[in-house]
């Protein structure tokens, strides 16, 4: 009976060890490091000192009076404008006519 328990323990430990090695090998094969990813809490309150605008030029003293949902909306608008301009530049580089107008994007 103790031989079966010993075999079971060795099998379990070996399975976990090989599983972990395989998991790390898989991540290395696709070019990512397990355990390095940092979580970004999108529901955390926005800090005016940490906000950076990619396209919008806004005065920080005017932003102090805005509510949290308004700041989030401005941030989403800024991100959409950035994506739209990158899309337009990629089309111009390919000498293509845009399939979507600015109104359709928003």
């Amino acid at each position: 009976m103790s031989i079966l328990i010993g075999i079971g323990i060795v099998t379990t430990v070996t399975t976990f060890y090989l599983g972990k090695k395989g998991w790390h090998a898989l991540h290395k094969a696709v070019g990512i490091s397990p355990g390095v990813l940092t979580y970004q809490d999108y529901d955390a309150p926005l800090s005016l000192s940490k906000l950076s605008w990619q396209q919008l030029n806004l005065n920080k003293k005017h932003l102090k009076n805005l509510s949290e949902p308004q700041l989030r909306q401005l941030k989403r608008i800024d991100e959409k404008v950035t994506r739209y301009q990158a899309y337009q530049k990629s089309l111009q580089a390919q000498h293509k006519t845009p399939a979507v107008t600015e109104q359709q994007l928003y």
Side-chain angles (χ1 to χ4, degrees), residues 14 23 32 54 70-71 74-77 83 100 106:
T14 304
W23 184 251
I32 57 176
Q54 298 172 12
Q70 291 171 325
L71 284 173
L74 275 175
K75 184 124 179 82
R76 281 193 297 273
I77 290 170
R83 283 194 301 267
V100 179
Y106 297 109

Side-chain angles (χ1 to χ4, degrees), residues 7-42:
I7 291 172
I9 291 173
V10 168
T11 303
T12 303
V13 169
T14 304
T15 302
F16 280 117
Y17 177 76
L18 292 176
K20 185 177 177 182
K21 286 292 188 180
W23 184 251
H24 284 276
L26 172 69
H27 282 78
K28 187 175 182 180
V30 296
I32 57 176
S33 301
V36 177
L37 182 66
T38 57
Y39 175 73
Q40 183 177 3
D41 186 9
Y42 290 104

Side-chain angles (χ1 to χ4, degrees), residues 9-100:
I9 291 173
V10 168
T11 303
T12 303
V13 169
T14 304
T15 302
F16 280 117
Y17 177 76
L18 292 176
K20 185 177 177 182
K21 286 292 188 180
W23 184 251
H24 284 276
L26 172 69
H27 282 78
K28 187 175 182 180
V30 296
I32 57 176
S33 301
V36 177
L37 182 66
T38 57
Y39 175 73
Q40 183 177 3
D41 186 9
Y42 290 104
D43 294 329
L46 294 175
S47 170
L48 282 178
S49 62
K50 293 182 181 178
L51 273 179
S52 61
W53 306 102
Q54 298 172 12
Q55 298 295 326
L56 301 177
N57 294 324
L58 302 170
N59 191 338
K60 294 219 183 220
K61 72 177 185 178
H62 297 299
L63 297 176
K64 285 192 288 187
N65 298 326
L66 295 179
S67 67
E68 184 77 20
Q70 291 171 325
L71 284 173
R72 289 190 188 283
Q73 184 65 33
L74 275 175
K75 184 124 179 82
R76 281 193 297 273
I77 290 170
D78 185 54
E79 291 167 358
K80 284 184 179 185
V81 169
T82 301
R83 283 194 301 267
Y84 182 73
Q85 289 185 348
Y87 168 71
Q88 290 288 27
K89 287 179 183 176
S90 70
L91 286 180
Q92 287 175 356
Q94 298 171 16
H95 304 293
K96 291 184 180 179
T97 305
V100 179

